[in-house]
Amino acid sequence: MKQKKSAYLITKPLQYINATNIPDDNNKDCFIVDYFKDSKIFYENISENSSYWDEIYYLRKRRNFYIFILKNKRKYKDIYMDSDQSFLAFIFSLIVLPIKIYTYEEGYGSYRELRDETKLIEKIKINIYKLLGSNNWLGGGTFTKGMFLYHPESFNNLVPKNKKKIYPFRKNFIDHANLLMKELGSLFDSKILDIIKNRDVILYLSSWEINVEVFSIIEQYPGYFTIIKPHPNIKNDIKLDNFDYILNSILPAELYIHQILIRCKNLIIVHENSSSLIYVGNIKCTEINLKVADHSFIIYNKIRELLSS
């Protein structure tokens, strides 16, 4: 009888790094969903350079992953997903039993409750999911067996109601990401490293949309070389009218920050609660968070404080 496989659902590049850091002795299939810019290029690069996977699939929608697994249910033993927080995910998790489902870290959103109880619509959703046995955080799904996190103690501090098992990754994020550069190296935009040598640099890590506040910040630092690292979910092309350089969004910003920092003269990072600043650790740069007036800023800062302690 053939050994049953594990299935990994990946909807953005950061998840790929974390998915390949999970201890798993099964044969593994990778499912890359077209939810980020240049996802097809990313898929083709992985298909050509990685020997980690048994099979690699490229899908247009998340629901295509659910349909594929249901049609091939007998092949799989474990499923690893970025999120279990939707009604469709609940139905899927129920139908695929006894396959085990796990979630894995996919950014700072993995360390907080997702829906705001102070908002009526959100509170209604929370109560509906509670009736289904699901909790209000990634990994809190009714049929989810556990979650893979880099900082379990911090998660338990921030989400004390969690009762699900937390599993460790093989390596810390940076060490594992550096190892992956062997297969991701051709996607790395190395030109920027020569351009910014000994220069003052502003690096803007965008959210799902370009925040116009960044332009007033740029005006305060004349002479700085300005770089934008677009969020991978921005699929439209960004014009160079407002920035000196546009980094390819196909790789996570974490893979660029340290390399830029050791080459430039001064670095200012402008962001909006970016997960990148969680993974790169304590670095010597000026940081400007455009979400400072947002309620999520309080949660984000608490996460940063706990993860750096």
Side-chain angles (χ1 to χ4, degrees):
M1 182 179 175
K2 258 189 172 183
Q3 179 187 0
K4 288 197 173 184
K5 297 181 175 183
S6 296
Y8 287 78
L9 176 63
I10 292 163
T11 64
K12 62 183 181 183
L14 173 65
Q15 293 168 12
Y16 183 84
I17 294 176
N18 294 338
T20 53
N21 201 13
I22 292 172
D24 183 2
D25 293 330
N26 297 330
N27 291 333
K28 293 169 279 290
D29 286 352
C30 175
F31 296 83
I32 296 174
V33 183
D34 182 25
Y35 281 178
F36 58 95
K37 185 175 172 61
D38 294 329
S39 58
K40 189 67 179 290
I41 295 173
F42 188 87
Y43 156 76
E44 290 169 349
N45 183 82
I46 298 304
S47 299
E48 183 177 343
N49 296 306
S50 177
S51 58
Y52 186 77
W53 306 102
D54 194 32
E55 300 284 349
I56 304 174
Y57 299 92
Y58 183 72
L59 306 174
R60 291 295 177 187
K61 299 288 184 181
R62 178 186 290 268
R63 63 174 175 265
N64 297 133
F65 170 78
Y66 295 150
I67 293 168
F68 182 96
I69 298 297
L70 290 173
K71 286 181 177 178
N72 298 275
K73 183 177 174 181
R74 293 182 181 180
K75 291 183 180 181
Y76 295 99
K77 176 185 175 186
D78 301 315
I79 295 173
Y80 298 87
M81 303 197 302
D82 57 321
S83 173
D84 56 354
Q85 293 295 305
S86 71
F87 186 69
L88 189 58
F90 169 81
I91 296 299
F92 170 73
S93 302
L94 174 61
I95 295 174
V96 298
L97 289 172
I99 297 175
K100 294 178 182 177
I101 290 179
Y102 303 88
T103 60
Y104 61 90
E105 186 164 328
E106 67 93 48
Y108 98 97
S110 296
Y111 289 89
R112 61 185 175 90
E113 295 198 35
L114 300 173
R115 302 171 189 90
D116 185 353
E117 290 188 357
T118 64
K119 297 178 181 177
L120 180 59
I121 298 300
E122 295 288 283
K123 191 170 185 178
I124 292 171
K125 288 181 180 179
I126 291 170
N127 288 327
I128 291 172
Y129 279 105
K130 276 184 179 177
L131 289 173
L132 299 174
S134 294
N135 294 300
N136 187 27
W137 54 84
L138 297 177
T142 310
F143 304 105
T144 302
K145 295 296 180 183
M147 58 197 83
F148 284 80
L149 296 172
Y150 289 104
H151 306 281
E153 289 182 7
S154 298
F155 177 80
N156 287 330
N157 187 303
L158 291 158
V159 189
K161 292 179 282 189
N162 174 63
K163 303 298 180 186
K164 297 289 177 80
K165 188 169 181 179
I166 301 176
Y167 300 90
F169 287 97
R170 284 196 192 99
K171 298 178 180 292
N172 69 53
F173 177 85
I174 292 297
D175 286 348
H176 178 66
N178 287 334
L179 286 175
L180 270 189
M181 285 306 291
K182 291 180 181 178
E183 65 182 70
L184 299 177
S186 63
L187 301 175
F188 188 86
D189 190 353
S190 58
K191 291 181 291 186
I192 189 61
L193 302 183
D194 290 328
I195 295 172
I196 54 88
K197 194 171 182 180
N198 296 323
R199 299 181 76 170
D200 295 322
V201 174
I202 291 177
L203 172 62
Y204 171 45
L205 309 176
S206 85
S207 186
W208 286 50
E209 295 179 353
I210 306 301
N211 191 326
V212 294
E213 290 181 40
V214 70
F215 303 130
S216 62
I217 291 171
I218 288 172
E219 289 177 358
Q220 296 172 34
Y221 295 91
Y224 272 68
F225 187 83
T226 58
I227 305 170
I228 179 173
K229 168 61 174 66
H231 192 283
N233 290 93
I234 297 178
K235 289 196 172 186
N236 297 328
D237 290 334
I238 297 170
K239 296 180 181 179
L240 267 174
D241 296 355
N242 299 303
F243 302 96
D244 295 317
Y245 197 91
I246 302 170
L247 276 175
N248 194 326
S249 65
I250 201 168
L251 290 182
E254 294 88 332
L255 300 181
Y256 287 98
I257 290 173
H258 278 289
Q259 296 298 320
I260 291 173
L261 188 62
I262 62 178
R263 288 169 174 82
C264 72
K265 184 178 178 182
N266 294 296
L267 177 62
I268 298 171
I269 296 180
V270 183
H271 67 101
E272 299 171 66
N273 291 348
S274 173
S275 294
S276 300
L277 276 276
I278 289 174
Y279 292 118
V280 297
N282 296 318
I283 58 172
K284 294 181 179 179
C285 71
T286 300
E287 179 185 338
I288 300 174
N289 191 341
L290 298 180
K291 286 280 191 179
V292 69
D294 194 285
H295 172 71
S296 62
F297 175 76
I298 299 170
I299 300 170
Y300 177 80
N301 264 10
K302 190 173 182 182
I303 295 170
R304 290 276 302 273
E305 183 181 336
L306 283 167
L307 298 189
S308 63
S309 60

